[in-house]
PDB file of all heavy atoms in Angstrom:
ATOM      1  N   ALA B  25       1.915 -10.390   4.036  1.00  0.00           N
ATOM      2  CA  ALA B  25       2.792 -10.206   2.861  1.00  0.00           C
ATOM      3  C   ALA B  25       3.747  -9.035   3.102  1.00  0.00           C
ATOM      4  O   ALA B  25       3.314  -7.890   3.209  1.00  0.00           O
ATOM      5  CB  ALA B  25       1.957  -9.951   1.613  1.00  0.00           C
ATOM      6  N   SER B  26       5.047  -9.355   3.166  1.00  0.00           N
ATOM      7  CA  SER B  26       6.020  -8.338   3.557  1.00  0.00           C
ATOM      8  C   SER B  26       7.434  -8.867   3.368  1.00  0.00           C
ATOM      9  O   SER B  26       7.630 -10.003   2.955  1.00  0.00           O
ATOM     10  CB  SER B  26       5.829  -8.000   5.032  1.00  0.00           C
ATOM     11  OG  SER B  26       6.134  -9.154   5.808  1.00  0.00           O
ATOM     12  N   CYS B  27       8.407  -8.035   3.759  1.00  0.00           N
ATOM     13  CA  CYS B  27       9.818  -8.424   3.609  1.00  0.00           C
ATOM     14  C   CYS B  27      10.463  -8.814   4.925  1.00  0.00           C
ATOM     15  O   CYS B  27      11.663  -9.096   4.959  1.00  0.00           O
ATOM     16  CB  CYS B  27      10.607  -7.286   2.976  1.00  0.00           C
ATOM     17  SG  CYS B  27      11.029  -5.962   4.132  1.00  0.00           S
ATOM     18  N   ASP B  28       9.740  -8.812   6.030  1.00  0.00           N
ATOM     19  CA  ASP B  28      10.271  -9.120   7.364  1.00  0.00           C
ATOM     20  C   ASP B  28      11.068  -7.975   7.978  1.00  0.00           C
ATOM     21  O   ASP B  28      11.496  -8.068   9.128  1.00  0.00           O
ATOM     22  CB  ASP B  28      11.172 -10.376   7.377  1.00  0.00           C
ATOM     23  CG  ASP B  28      10.368 -11.642   7.643  1.00  0.00           C
ATOM     24  OD1 ASP B  28       9.294 -11.776   7.053  1.00  0.00           O
ATOM     25  OD2 ASP B  28      10.826 -12.479   8.433  1.00  0.00           O
ATOM     26  N   GLY B  29      11.280  -6.902   7.232  1.00  0.00           N
ATOM     27  CA  GLY B  29      12.154  -5.825   7.709  1.00  0.00           C
ATOM     28  C   GLY B  29      11.639  -5.147   8.961  1.00  0.00           C
ATOM     29  O   GLY B  29      12.411  -4.771   9.838  1.00  0.00           O
ATOM     30  N   CYS B  30      10.305  -4.990   9.080  1.00  0.00           N
ATOM     31  CA  CYS B  30       9.781  -4.266  10.243  1.00  0.00           C
ATOM     32  C   CYS B  30       9.892  -5.105  11.510  1.00  0.00           C
ATOM     33  O   CYS B  30      10.219  -4.589  12.569  1.00  0.00           O
ATOM     34  CB  CYS B  30       8.353  -3.802   9.963  1.00  0.00           C
ATOM     35  SG  CYS B  30       8.333  -2.489   8.712  1.00  0.00           S
ATOM     36  N   GLN B  31       9.623  -6.424  11.410  1.00  0.00           N
ATOM     37  CA  GLN B  31       9.812  -7.234  12.625  1.00  0.00           C
ATOM     38  C   GLN B  31      11.292  -7.419  12.930  1.00  0.00           C
ATOM     39  O   GLN B  31      11.681  -7.572  14.082  1.00  0.00           O
ATOM     40  CB  GLN B  31       9.067  -8.565  12.555  1.00  0.00           C
ATOM     41  CG  GLN B  31       9.341  -9.417  11.352  1.00  0.00           C
ATOM     42  CD  GLN B  31       8.545 -10.719  11.415  1.00  0.00           C
ATOM     43  OE1 GLN B  31       8.524 -11.379  12.437  1.00  0.00           O
ATOM     44  NE2 GLN B  31       7.894 -11.069  10.312  1.00  0.00           N
ATOM     45  N   LEU B  32      12.126  -7.347  11.879  1.00  0.00           N
ATOM     46  CA  LEU B  32      13.568  -7.397  12.121  1.00  0.00           C
ATOM     47  C   LEU B  32      14.018  -6.200  12.954  1.00  0.00           C
ATOM     48  O   LEU B  32      14.971  -6.298  13.724  1.00  0.00           O
ATOM     49  CB  LEU B  32      14.323  -7.430  10.775  1.00  0.00           C
ATOM     50  CG  LEU B  32      15.851  -7.411  10.843  1.00  0.00           C
ATOM     51  CD1 LEU B  32      16.390  -8.683  11.487  1.00  0.00           C
ATOM     52  CD2 LEU B  32      16.464  -7.231   9.453  1.00  0.00           C
ATOM     53  N   SER B  33      13.284  -5.083  12.820  1.00  0.00           N
ATOM     54  CA  SER B  33      13.626  -3.887  13.613  1.00  0.00           C
ATOM     55  C   SER B  33      13.653  -4.205  15.102  1.00  0.00           C
ATOM     56  O   SER B  33      14.432  -3.631  15.853  1.00  0.00           O
ATOM     57  CB  SER B  33      12.609  -2.761  13.379  1.00  0.00           C
ATOM     58  OG  SER B  33      12.604  -2.403  12.032  1.00  0.00           O
ATOM     59  N   LEU B  34      12.802  -5.122  15.526  1.00  0.00           N
ATOM     60  CA  LEU B  34      12.782  -5.501  16.942  1.00  0.00           C
ATOM     61  C   LEU B  34      14.053  -6.277  17.296  1.00  0.00           C
ATOM     62  O   LEU B  34      14.666  -6.039  18.338  1.00  0.00           O
ATOM     63  CB  LEU B  34      11.526  -6.332  17.221  1.00  0.00           C
ATOM     64  CG  LEU B  34      11.148  -6.581  18.675  1.00  0.00           C
ATOM     65  CD1 LEU B  34      11.016  -5.294  19.461  1.00  0.00           C
ATOM     66  CD2 LEU B  34       9.825  -7.349  18.754  1.00  0.00           C
ATOM     67  N   LEU B  35      14.462  -7.186  16.400  1.00  0.00           N
ATOM     68  CA  LEU B  35      15.701  -7.944  16.656  1.00  0.00           C
ATOM     69  C   LEU B  35      16.928  -7.047  16.480  1.00  0.00           C
ATOM     70  O   LEU B  35      18.014  -7.376  16.953  1.00  0.00           O
ATOM     71  CB  LEU B  35      15.798  -9.150  15.726  1.00  0.00           C
ATOM     72  CG  LEU B  35      14.687 -10.201  15.860  1.00  0.00           C
ATOM     73  CD1 LEU B  35      14.905 -11.345  14.888  1.00  0.00           C
ATOM     74  CD2 LEU B  35      14.602 -10.741  17.277  1.00  0.00           C
ATOM     75  N   ASP B  36      16.743  -5.938  15.764  1.00  0.00           N
ATOM     76  CA  ASP B  36      17.845  -4.988  15.596  1.00  0.00           C
ATOM     77  C   ASP B  36      18.004  -4.074  16.821  1.00  0.00           C
ATOM     78  O   ASP B  36      18.892  -3.234  16.855  1.00  0.00           O
ATOM     79  CB  ASP B  36      17.634  -4.121  14.342  1.00  0.00           C
ATOM     80  CG  ASP B  36      18.180  -4.805  13.081  1.00  0.00           C
ATOM     81  OD1 ASP B  36      18.787  -5.884  13.210  1.00  0.00           O
ATOM     82  OD2 ASP B  36      18.002  -4.254  11.981  1.00  0.00           O
ATOM     83  N   CYS B  37      17.134  -4.225  17.809  1.00  0.00           N
ATOM     84  CA  CYS B  37      17.304  -3.458  19.066  1.00  0.00           C
ATOM     85  C   CYS B  37      18.343  -4.198  19.912  1.00  0.00           C
ATOM     86  O   CYS B  37      18.020  -4.734  20.985  1.00  0.00           O
ATOM     87  CB  CYS B  37      15.981  -3.363  19.818  1.00  0.00           C
ATOM     88  SG  CYS B  37      14.738  -2.404  18.953  1.00  0.00           S
ATOM     89  N   GLU B  38      19.583  -4.224  19.422  1.00  0.00           N
ATOM     90  CA  GLU B  38      20.598  -5.064  20.078  1.00  0.00           C
ATOM     91  C   GLU B  38      20.826  -4.664  21.526  1.00  0.00           C
ATOM     92  O   GLU B  38      21.061  -5.513  22.382  1.00  0.00           O
ATOM     93  CB  GLU B  38      21.929  -5.006  19.314  1.00  0.00           C
ATOM     94  CG  GLU B  38      21.892  -5.698  17.952  1.00  0.00           C
ATOM     95  CD  GLU B  38      21.674  -4.726  16.815  1.00  0.00           C
ATOM     96  OE1 GLU B  38      21.505  -3.516  17.090  1.00  0.00           O
ATOM     97  OE2 GLU B  38      21.657  -5.169  15.638  1.00  0.00           O
ATOM     98  N   ASP B  39      20.767  -3.355  21.795  1.00  0.00           N
ATOM     99  CA  ASP B  39      21.055  -2.908  23.165  1.00  0.00           C
ATOM    100  C   ASP B  39      19.866  -3.117  24.108  1.00  0.00           C
ATOM    101  O   ASP B  39      20.029  -3.118  25.316  1.00  0.00           O
ATOM    102  CB  ASP B  39      21.412  -1.408  23.166  1.00  0.00           C
ATOM    103  CG  ASP B  39      22.735  -1.168  22.446  1.00  0.00           C
ATOM    104  OD1 ASP B  39      23.556  -2.100  22.407  1.00  0.00           O
ATOM    105  OD2 ASP B  39      22.922  -0.056  21.910  1.00  0.00           O
TER     106      ASP B  39
END
Side-chain angles (χ1 to χ4, degrees):
Chain B
S26 65
C27 78
D28 270 44
C30 290
Q31 53 179 313
L32 177 66
S33 300
L34 193 55
L35 298 180
D36 274 355
C37 294
E38 290 98 358
D39 293 334

